[in-house]
Amino acid sequence: MAVETVGVMSPGDMGSGVGGALKKNGLRVLTALDGRSYASRKRAAEEGFEDAGSLDELVKQCDLVLSILVPSEAHSFAQNIAEAIVRTDADVAFADCNAVSPETGALIGEVITAAGGKFIDAGIIGGTPRRGATPRFYASGEHAPKLGELDGKGISVPVMDGPIGRASGLKMVYASLTKGTAALYASTLMTAKSLDLYGDLIAELELSQQSTLGEMERIKTVSAQAFRWIGEMEEIAATFSAAGSTPNIHTGAAEIFQKIADSSIGHERVDSVDKSRSLEDSITAMLHPAE
Amino acid sequence: MAVETVGVMSPGDMGSGVGGALKKNGLRVLTALDGRSYASRKRAAEEGFEDAGSLDELVKQCDLVLSILVPSEAHSFAQNIAEAIVRTDADVAFADCNAVSPETGALIGEVITAAGGKFIDAGIIGGTPRRGATPRFYASGEHAPKLGELDGKGISVPVMDGPIGRASGLKMVYASLTKGTAALYASTLMTAKSLDLYGDLIAELELSQQSTLGEMERIKTVSAQAFRWIGEMEEIAATFSAAGSTPNIHTGAAEIFQKIADSSIGHERVDSVDKSRSLEDSITAMLHPAE
């Protein structure tokens, strides 16, 4: 049966953008707004989502549900979906698209499969369609071709060879680089600032590491995402540890993002972050705890 | 008294290059080869160093001694120099140029000052003159202008405002970036390889992170330097911890360099590293322990 109706949970910055893109490409897009925040309701309305209300209605009406959340919510949401599948005896596929370790992904898969759902392991790389990007939904596992039906419909879906765990593993090693360097840059600049060496370091980087200095500018807006990246770094640490490498680089990265999330600018979000602030002022603000 | 005779310990890859550059620029360059390795003796001879034999002779004949070692040897070498100063009552300046934390630098300073030497805190950024580079010897503390006399004589010597600790602090935050990213790249590629995701990750990076992928090529030759960077990462971890940030990113980096140093290619050195080997083959070799 072809995928015609897609459920998207939740309609956050990525989820609402993806749902909006799928809708523009001819799919029916549902979400379940019972108990969701005002911001989620607003984004869902902007993108033209239909509201199924409850998860029971969502799994009954959808061919495929996409779980797009912060990593710490992934497992409990899958359990809620599994219970809804059991209650409704729905024939539905479920793609966990969250930044979780292959091990966490496999646990989520067991929950869905035991309930009678078709589980797909997925990992999102790239930005939200809300800002013009076409994210890649890497997918693995026997049911991955079902997510693959959405390829070209506002998102890209590379279906990977091999079992469940490969898509989430790829997301982990990729985010290790992009968010790991962000943590390293932030920690270094914060330490330089604490040691009153900020200007000296920038001057030396202008001399010998101009491209690194250019990349560091993006640290200015990490305040808007640090709260989401804490759990992601912990999942990466678990992935690296299971693969025989050290978890400590990413455990440390999680600590940096926690410090930024708890700082005077940690309440900023993607739509509200002050992009006009200088890098040095951002670093100074990250060193000051929220009042 | 102007600096005319400089002692360089030890004549390793950086030390021999720096001494050779100073010699070409009109200074008398000494070292003490008693008990040094064949490789050090060979490099000292190539660069035209005079051999003072013992440390007692070295401090007697030199106006300034440069300590250029691996971080783990910095403190014990300073103690040996301090004892030589006490025995000979030499009037000598001593620059610790090693990658150590401001706290370790201050401890070394106390040892030298207590013996009657003039202590200079220094940090080297840049490559060895043996391969055409002009390294910057950042210097701080009241005697820093003495090292500053060598500016333009084959090396660059920016003298910093402020007390002892600033030069070593700058070296720490700088190396946090350059060697921290090297550790992150190596750990990520090693984990991707372990998870059989190496090709998938490279393909995604070719699509979305080409400049990062280009920088990763330099990981091929980390095998030649990992053994020196373990202690440096531990000093950076201590610096970051003292400044109120997490030590864990760099503790993890030290673990990665330890793993590479213990691997099947960890015995390689700057002059012997196989530059023709592919990045993937290097990563595979780093995952295999030495026999």
Side-chain angles (χ1 to χ4, degrees):
Chain A
M1 200 179 69
V3 174
E4 291 172 355
T5 306
V6 178
V8 177
M9 288 290 287
S10 65
D13 191 47
M14 175 63 79
S16 66
V18 167
L22 293 173
K23 192 174 156 66
K24 284 190 196 78
N25 282 271
L27 287 140
R28 191 177 163 215
V29 179
L30 266 65
T31 190
L33 290 172
D34 286 5
R36 303 307 302 189
S37 71
Y38 172 74
S40 286
R41 287 172 178 272
K42 182 164 174 285
R43 277 186 297 252
E46 282 167 8
E47 302 289 352
F49 285 29
E50 293 173 55
D51 179 16
S54 69
L55 295 188
D56 283 19
E57 278 304 312
L58 191 76
V59 297
K60 271 162 69 179
Q61 296 188 40
C62 290
D63 306 308
L64 169 64
V65 171
L66 307 180
S67 171
I68 304 176
L69 301 160
V70 292
S72 58
E73 293 176 13
H75 193 261
S76 65
F77 176 68
Q79 282 176 319
N80 293 341
I81 285 285
E83 288 164 17
I85 292 172
V86 169
R87 277 193 299 267
T88 58
D89 198 25
D91 179 22
V92 67
F94 177 89
D96 184 89
C97 309
N98 300 299
V100 297
S101 71
E103 290 73 25
T104 301
L107 284 176
I108 291 172
E110 285 169 22
V111 168
I112 296 297
T113 305
K118 299 182 182 74
F119 180 71
I120 301 160
D121 175 37
I124 307 174
I125 294 181
T128 174
R130 274 175 84 83
R131 283 183 287 282
T134 303
R136 289 173 291 295
F137 280 58
Y138 284 90
S140 71
E142 62 169 312
H143 298 295
K146 204 162 239 335
L147 183 55
E149 289 181 37
L150 304 185
D151 183 62
K153 297 182 174 175
I155 64 175
S156 169
V157 185
V159 175
M160 301 174 79
D161 290 334
I164 281 168
R166 291 183 56 74
S168 34
L170 180 60
K171 169 69 181 179
M172 292 287 97
V173 291
Y174 184 84
S176 160
L177 288 178
T178 53
K179 291 160 194 170
T181 44
L184 181 64
Y185 291 167
S187 178
T188 298
L189 292 175
M190 288 162 78
T191 299
K193 186 80 196 171
S194 295
L195 297 174
D196 195 22
L197 287 166
Y198 187 90
D200 301 275
L201 177 62
I202 298 294
E204 170 58 38
L205 294 174
E206 277 171 355
L207 206 63
S208 60
Q209 303 282 342
Q210 278 188 18
S211 74
T212 300
L213 188 57
E215 285 171 40
M216 283 178 161
E217 279 292 314
R218 70 186 160 97
I219 303 307
K220 289 200 306 189
T221 57
V222 164
S223 48
Q225 305 189 282
F227 80 103
R228 289 200 295 112
W229 293 355
I230 300 162
E232 190 164 336
M233 290 302 110
E234 288 164 351
E235 292 289 328
I236 294 173
T239 304
F240 276 49
S241 185
S245 192
T246 174
N248 289 333
I249 294 177
H250 298 93
T251 302
E255 290 175 78
I256 292 296
F257 292 138
Q258 183 74 61
K259 186 161 185 163
I260 296 170
D262 292 342
S263 80
S264 60
I265 55 173
H267 62 278
E268 293 185 333
R269 291 296 173 264
V270 170
D271 296 332
S272 66
V273 64
D274 179 1
K275 294 195 182 81
S276 70
R277 190 174 48 215
S278 73
L279 180 58
E280 184 169 7
D281 286 347
S282 299
I283 295 299
T284 303
M286 288 173 191
L287 283 167
H288 284 88
E291 299 204 345
Chain B
M1 199 178 69
V3 174
E4 292 173 354
T5 306
V6 179
V8 178
M9 289 292 286
S10 65
D13 191 45
M14 176 61 79
S16 65
V18 167
L22 294 173
K23 191 174 156 66
K24 284 190 196 80
N25 282 272
L27 288 139
R28 191 177 163 217
V29 179
L30 266 66
T31 191
L33 290 172
D34 286 4
R36 304 304 304 187
S37 71
Y38 173 74
S40 287
R41 287 172 178 273
K42 183 165 173 286
R43 276 186 298 253
E46 282 167 7
E47 302 289 353
F49 286 27
E50 293 174 54
D51 180 15
S54 68
L55 294 188
D56 284 17
E57 277 305 310
L58 191 76
V59 296
K60 271 162 69 180
Q61 295 189 40
C62 290
D63 306 308
L64 171 63
V65 171
L66 307 181
S67 170
I68 304 175
L69 301 160
V70 292
S72 58
E73 292 176 16
H75 193 261
S76 65
F77 176 68
Q79 282 175 318
N80 292 342
I81 285 285
E83 288 164 17
I85 292 172
V86 169
R87 276 193 301 268
T88 58
D89 198 25
D91 179 21
V92 67
F94 177 89
D96 183 89
C97 310
N98 299 301
V100 297
S101 71
E103 291 73 25
T104 301
L107 284 177
I108 291 172
E110 286 168 22
V111 168
I112 296 297
T113 304
K118 300 182 182 73
F119 179 71
I120 301 160
D121 175 38
I124 307 174
I125 294 179
T128 175
R130 275 175 85 83
R131 282 183 288 282
T134 303
R136 289 173 291 295
F137 280 58
Y138 284 90
S140 72
E142 62 169 312
H143 298 295
K146 204 162 238 340
L147 183 56
E149 290 180 37
L150 303 186
D151 184 61
K153 297 182 174 176
I155 64 174
S156 169
V157 186
V159 175
M160 300 174 79
D161 291 333
I164 280 167
R166 292 184 55 75
S168 34
L170 181 60
K171 170 69 180 178
M172 292 288 97
V173 290
Y174 184 85
S176 160
L177 288 178
T178 52
K179 292 161 192 169
T181 44
L184 181 64
Y185 292 167
S187 178
T188 299
L189 292 174
M190 288 162 79
T191 298
K193 186 80 194 169
S194 295
L195 296 174
D196 194 21
L197 287 166
Y198 187 90
D200 301 275
L201 177 62
I202 298 293
E204 170 58 39
L205 295 174
E206 278 170 356
L207 206 61
S208 60
Q209 305 281 344
Q210 279 188 18
S211 73
T212 300
L213 188 57
E215 284 171 40
M216 283 179 160
E217 278 293 314
R218 69 187 160 98
I219 302 306
K220 289 199 307 189
T221 58
V222 164
S223 48
Q225 304 190 284
F227 78 104
R228 288 201 294 111
W229 293 355
I230 300 162
E232 190 164 335
M233 290 303 109
E234 287 163 352
E235 292 289 328
I236 294 173
T239 304
F240 276 50
S241 185
S245 191
T246 174
N248 289 332
I249 295 177
H250 298 94
T251 302
E255 290 175 79
I256 292 295
F257 292 138
Q258 183 74 60
K259 186 161 183 163
I260 295 170
D262 293 342
S263 79
S264 60
I265 55 173
H267 62 277
E268 293 185 332
R269 291 296 174 261
V270 171
D271 296 331
S272 66
V273 64
D274 179 2
K275 294 196 182 81
S276 71
R277 190 174 47 215
S278 74
L279 180 58
E280 184 168 7
D281 286 348
S282 298
I283 294 298
T284 303
M286 288 172 190
L287 283 167
H288 284 88
E291 300 206 345

